[in-house]
């Protein structure tokens, strides 16, 4: 099942090891011939055995296929993302995004076809000249010799070729049959390979294509030495079990890498990417915040969140995770959108805990209600306590942070007042602190005893009256902690 | 694989029927004893055979377990949603939300525990008095007799009991062992049943609980006649294959309904809900826009999007889909958030098509790049054409909408100009229309010939100069079509 957030993955036990070895030998496709390893050394999913150490006590025997600890990102913000309704990237913006993705550590970025427009071509050439440190540059073209000739002249490290194979697209898009598609694919692939750069062949709308057609063309292009075949859920209709079945079947037919591209129209883009890796896929397409056609594709941050559960050490070693928020902010600004309130990892509430029982447990051990550790991403954990669902354990932790001396009975009594006031309106952190301080003063001056709710009300009124007339009121506001929230890192590490 | 958006699901072929019947007979759990059907007639997932007609040519033999055409929503915006960082619902707001969810057609709504605060109790009682038309009312409590006594007095149709079963929660939350949990669960369940209302028992953090503990307590509560057992991914760590495995195993152990609750921290909340239904679950927890602890749970709209792919007729018959946007806007306003740009179905770009090849195909047949039909949700399709990735086929459709008389060669020529200008800045629909109108006038007055780019530039400058000096300019702006977009319903239905 799920590993805890803060415990390193366990090694497989003896039994699992045996299962791995046995099925491994028998079930792995043949090692590809030399001519099928990528010219510029890109790892082939099967040129070395995937890391198959079990990630927890419940890992599945079928994990011999899994690449969840052995995968690469093809970051398509500058291709798929440019097809987002709001996207208009200047060269300057594209360069900023490309450099940040390189610093973050993605293995590939994919750029809009140079055939799309003169500017697209110029941008592609300019980005190839940047000399990125780690990230390889791909461009995404139609399965057509004219586009291929343009592409190889831009200086890219590789070309991603795509063509629609579903009856829908064959009828209503390009109008070509499978024979024509195969013939053209071979021509384009051999041309691009002759230039000594990477080549991927992908079907479009793969999950509404006929399986025999798909397998047959993938086998053909694999035989002539394509680096990757691509499976694309272009309309966002696929579910994880379909993805697992198709990729696992394909894994047995081709020996090259398998790239996958998932749209998110029905909410499965992240889960489908994960299922594809479990079935032996090697590359996942992403975009920052998932921007793309319609509601987009697998988001970079969402994929990272999912893969952190599978193998945190592998993900942390590959990518500069604290950069994620900066990259998302850059792209959000460039396409004039807000980062969604519920965005993975970086959404404002991603690490906010509210219910009393959650708050209590989080304070005792963050892993109780967190599978991700906010500090891995340079984020902060919050426990919200000034509301009607709060609990006295969360209030007690705040009392301790404020160095107030109250026993449990007194904390429970103060909590009752906070809940009473929060039933009228949510109390800000400043409100909560005031209540606790006034309560503390009252108890220790002897003016207040446990259970004297009316007395506490009077003390609070008196305090508020004097506070509002005090000169340093404005300054207090400026230094006030954010409303509705409480920083508890101190509490949790104490 | 995936059915097209606008084609009714195919019936299973003979072979599939056989598979269904065979496995059905042998693999279905026993029909539950009479005392296990819900007192107020709520369907038990197995009290009648699930609808198992195949949804397409690729449906799986294992579909005999599937409830993807036989499921219910437990809408938890007023419980889980109240635990969202920004949520503070007044009674008035809660009543509005409850009534809209009733009109929409959800089978259940779940309310915050009356034990949470005096106001929570008063709200629960008030909502029970509303007399909702279709929707049953549940409240969600800790596994504790005090909470249970409060709950049954509020007038709810059922009680959802939850307790943490993972070692994390047993250690750091309630500190109780499985023996205590079992003993208390039995006491609470028998008490609630004695009041003649529905009772669900759920574990918390199910995917980090020990499988033997889980199965053993679920079997126990099933034997004493609980209506539903609940599986909860409280921390959002589960993936669809884990969910499928656990629910399928559980389906063979209990004969009562199975409810599932999935958090979205790692992006699988919708896919996990779908996998649970495929494995025989009967009820899915949702909240509007997915609001809840941290980044929330399975969103109502996202679940609907997914289930529309599985069985559109079933979903359309159950729910008032065009209300979805209204409900989301109400909740978004109540908790002071924006509907995310990429929200399922209702996000501003959910049905916007941009790339040239997409635009062309969509105009020929919307199913090429859409698995959902926007009109089912009262939404509208857009094709964006004023950008550097546009194609002449999309421009041609606009030419036809404007009733301009241009041949293909001329449309291609005008498209080149649109792309040229869009390379500098994205052209609004008004810009595109102006270019096309000026081009058309130029061609038919003889001032312009195909390929005379410089001449067209002069004609455009002249037109813009005269337009900007014209008195009705302001009015034109007001009535201008939205920037970057084109309404093509006419085109697609033409």
């Amino acid at each position: 099942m799920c590993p805890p957030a803060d415990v390193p993955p366990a090694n497989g036990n003896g039994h699992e090891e045996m299962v791995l070895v046995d099925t491994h030998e028998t079930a792995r496709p043949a090692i590809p011939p030399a001519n099928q390893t990528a010219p510029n050394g890109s790892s082939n999913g099967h040129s070395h055995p995937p890391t198959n150490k079990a990630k927890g006590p419940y890992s599945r025997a079928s994990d011999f296929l899994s690449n969840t600890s052995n995968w690469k990102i093809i970051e398509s913000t500058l291709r798929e993302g440019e097809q987002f309704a709001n996207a208009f990237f200047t060269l300057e913006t594209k360069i900023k995004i490309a450099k940040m993705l390189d610093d973050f550590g993605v293995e590939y970025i994919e750029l809009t076809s140079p055939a799309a427009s003169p500017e697209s071509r110029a941008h592609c050439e300019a980005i190839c000249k940047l000399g990125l440190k780690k990230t390889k540059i791909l461009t995404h073209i139609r399965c057509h010799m004219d586009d291929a000739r343009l592409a190889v002249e831009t200086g890219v490290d590789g070309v991603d070729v795509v063509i629609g194979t579903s009856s829908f697209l064959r009828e209503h898009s390009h109008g070509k049959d499978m024979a024509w598609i195969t013939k053209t694919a071979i021509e384009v692939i051999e041309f691009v390979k002759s230039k000594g750069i990477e080549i991927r062949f992908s079907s479009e709308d793969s999950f509404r294509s006929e399986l025999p057609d798909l397998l047959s063309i993938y086998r053909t292009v694999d035989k002539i030495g394509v680096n990757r075949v691509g499976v694309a859920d272009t309309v966002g209709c696929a579910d994880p079990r379909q993805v697992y079945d198709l990729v696992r079947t394909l894994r047995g037919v081709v020996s090259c890498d398998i790239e996958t591209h998932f749209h998110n129209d029905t909410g499965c883009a992240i889960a489908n990417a994960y299922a594809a890796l479990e079935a032996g896929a090697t590359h996942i397409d992403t975009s920052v915040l998932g921007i793309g056609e319609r509601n987009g594709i697998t988001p970079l941050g969402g994929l990272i969140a999912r893969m952190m559960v599978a193998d945190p050490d592998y993900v942390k070693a590959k990518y500069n995770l604290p950069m994620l928020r900066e990259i998302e902010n850059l792209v959000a600004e460039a396409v004039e959108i807000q980062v969604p309130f519920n965005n993975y990892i970086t959404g404002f509430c991603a690490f906010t805990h509210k219910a009393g029982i959650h708050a209590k447990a989080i304070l005792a051990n963050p892993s109780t209600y967190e599978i991700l550790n906010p500090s891995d991403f340079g984020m902060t954990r919050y426990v919200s306590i000034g509301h009607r669902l709060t609990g006295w354990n969360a209030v007690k932790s705040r009392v301790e942070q404020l160095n107030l001396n109250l026993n449990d009975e007194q904390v429970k009594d103060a909590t009752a007042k906070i809940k009473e006031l929060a039933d009228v309106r949510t109390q800000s952190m400043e409100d909560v602190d005031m209540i606790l301080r006034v309560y503390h003063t009252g108890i220790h001056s002897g003016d207040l005893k446990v259970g004297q709710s009316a007395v506490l009300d009077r003390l609070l009124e008196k305090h508020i009256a004097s506070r509002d007339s005090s000169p340093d009121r404005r300054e207090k506001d400026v230094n006030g902690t954010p409303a509705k929230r409480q920083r508890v890192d101190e509490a949790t590490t104490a």
Side-chain angles (χ1 to χ4, degrees), chain A:
Chain A
M1 295 191 178
C2 303
D6 59 356
V7 176
N11 293 323
N13 61 34
H15 171 66
E16 276 154 345
E17 295 298 345
M18 273 174 55
V19 174
L20 292 185
V21 177
D22 292 342
T23 39
H24 216 274
E25 299 308 319
T26 55
R28 284 271 305 293
I31 300 300
N35 75 333
Q36 289 186 214
T37 36
N40 47 10
S42 93
S43 132
N44 174 306
H46 289 257
S47 59
H48 57 78
T51 314
N52 278 322
K53 65 181 192 296
K55 294 296 163 306
Y58 296 92
S59 32
R60 287 174 288 268
S62 60
D63 277 354
F64 69 86
L65 271 178
S66 178
N67 279 325
T68 54
S69 295
N70 181 35
W71 47 275
K72 292 183 165 60
I73 289 173
I74 294 178
E75 225 299 326
S76 191
T77 301
L78 297 181
R79 196 281 293 174
E80 178 73 48
E82 199 170 20
Q83 293 170 223
F84 170 56
N86 271 25
F88 177 83
F89 296 129
T90 61
L91 177 57
E92 187 194 0
T93 306
K94 286 184 178 179
I95 288 174
K96 263 194 216 153
I97 293 171
K99 284 181 166 172
M100 283 187 90
L101 289 170
D102 185 36
D103 293 339
F104 179 78
V106 299
E107 289 83 356
Y108 295 87
I109 57 173
E110 184 179 66
L111 307 179
T112 296
S113 169
S117 78
E119 199 83 355
S120 300
R121 179 180 182 170
H123 289 178
C124 185
E125 290 166 345
I127 291 168
C128 290
K129 288 196 182 74
L130 289 177
L132 297 179
K133 298 188 294 292
K134 168 181 179 177
T135 304
K136 288 191 206 146
I137 300 168
L138 308 171
T139 188
H140 181 267
I141 64 168
R142 292 169 298 186
C143 189
H144 195 295
M145 281 303 289
D146 297 349
D147 292 11
R149 286 191 198 90
L150 269 180
V152 298
E153 286 163 11
T154 57
V156 292
D157 301 303
V159 176
D160 283 351
V161 172
V162 67
I163 189 161
T165 44
S166 71
S167 58
F168 289 97
L169 295 181
R170 273 154 52 192
E171 234 178 86
H172 303 291
S173 180
H174 52 70
K176 305 297 199 300
D177 63 13
M178 289 307 296
W180 183 92
I181 291 172
T182 309
K183 183 182 145 303
T184 316
I186 294 173
E187 188 184 10
V188 169
I189 291 164
E190 288 184 332
F191 170 73
V192 174
K193 278 177 63 68
S194 75
K195 303 296 180 177
I197 60 178
E198 274 188 55
I199 174 76
R200 177 215 73 184
F201 174 85
S202 180
S203 65
E204 202 183 359
D205 201 6
S206 313
F207 291 84
R208 296 193 301 176
S209 302
E210 295 294 327
L211 189 59
D213 293 342
L214 279 181
L215 296 180
S216 135
I217 191 157
Y218 284 140
R219 181 188 53 194
T220 303
V221 296
D222 180 45
K223 284 220 177 97
I224 63 169
V226 79
N227 298 97
R228 290 186 305 281
V229 289
V231 170
D233 179 18
T234 308
V235 296
C237 67
D239 68 68
R241 292 177 65 226
Q242 290 173 328
V243 169
Y244 187 86
D245 292 348
L246 177 59
V247 173
R248 187 184 53 189
T249 302
L250 180 56
R251 184 68 287 166
V253 170
V254 301
S255 54
C256 61
D257 283 355
I258 298 175
E259 174 180 345
T260 57
H261 181 87
F262 297 107
H263 276 265
N264 201 33
D265 300 73
T266 63
C268 292
I270 295 170
N272 284 344
Y274 189 72
L277 292 174
E278 288 188 301
T282 56
H283 294 65
I284 303 293
D285 292 3
T286 68
S287 71
V288 175
L289 296 168
I291 59 169
E293 289 282 352
R294 305 187 309 281
N295 81 331
I297 64 167
T298 307
L300 176 63
L303 180 70
I304 293 293
R306 167 94 306 254
M307 301 318 295
M308 279 291 278
V309 175
D311 192 345
D313 298 343
Y314 179 72
V315 176
K316 284 190 262 185
K318 274 168 70 137
Y319 305 117
N320 181 354
L321 300 181
M323 279 189 68
L324 192 56
R325 183 159 46 166
E326 195 186 345
I327 296 172
E328 290 181 341
N329 290 343
L330 171 67
V331 171
E333 194 179 327
V335 299
E336 298 168 350
I337 55 171
Q338 285 203 343
V339 173
F341 73 94
N342 56 358
N343 199 48
Y344 304 105
I345 298 169
T346 63
F348 85 88
C349 55
F351 298 104
T352 298
H353 305 273
K354 188 166 173 183
I357 48 171
H358 285 227
K360 172 191 172 185
I362 276 286
L363 296 168
N365 176 353
S367 291
T368 48
Y369 287 101
E370 273 175 5
I371 194 65
L372 299 170
N373 183 346
S375 64
D376 286 338
F377 309 94
M379 304 290 292
T380 303
R381 174 181 307 116
Y382 292 100
V383 173
S384 162
I385 68 172
H387 55 80
R388 68 165 67 119
L389 308 180
T390 197
W392 76 276
N393 289 279
V395 174
K396 183 181 179 184
S397 83
R398 185 59 178 172
V399 166
E400 286 160 358
Q401 286 171 35
L402 298 173
N403 292 315
L404 301 179
N405 170 23
L406 296 175
N407 62 35
D408 287 359
E409 187 197 10
Q410 293 160 340
V411 171
K412 285 175 183 170
D413 191 38
T415 303
K417 178 60 64 181
I418 292 168
K419 285 167 87 93
E420 180 191 322
L421 296 172
D423 254 349
V424 183
R425 70 163 180 78
T426 299
Q427 301 290 294
S428 73
M429 207 58 230
E430 200 181 27
D431 299 329
V432 170
D433 291 354
M434 179 198 69
I435 296 164
L436 294 175
R437 287 202 169 90
V438 169
Y439 189 95
H440 180 262
T441 313
I443 288 289
H444 291 276
S445 67
D447 298 344
L448 177 68
K449 302 213 170 348
V450 170
Q452 294 181 329
S453 178
V455 176
L456 179 53
D457 287 335
R458 279 197 301 280
L459 292 175
L460 287 168
E461 282 159 24
K462 212 172 109 198
H463 175 85
I464 289 164
S466 65
R467 179 195 64 180
D468 292 350
S469 59
S470 89
D472 67 341
R473 167 71 178 144
R474 178 170 287 91
E475 200 195 325
K476 261 209 198 110
D477 274 351
V478 174
N479 302 335
T481 46
K484 295 192 211 166
R485 293 183 174 188
Q486 169 189 16
R487 197 161 188 291
V488 294
D489 297 56
E490 305 78 4
T492 48
T493 55

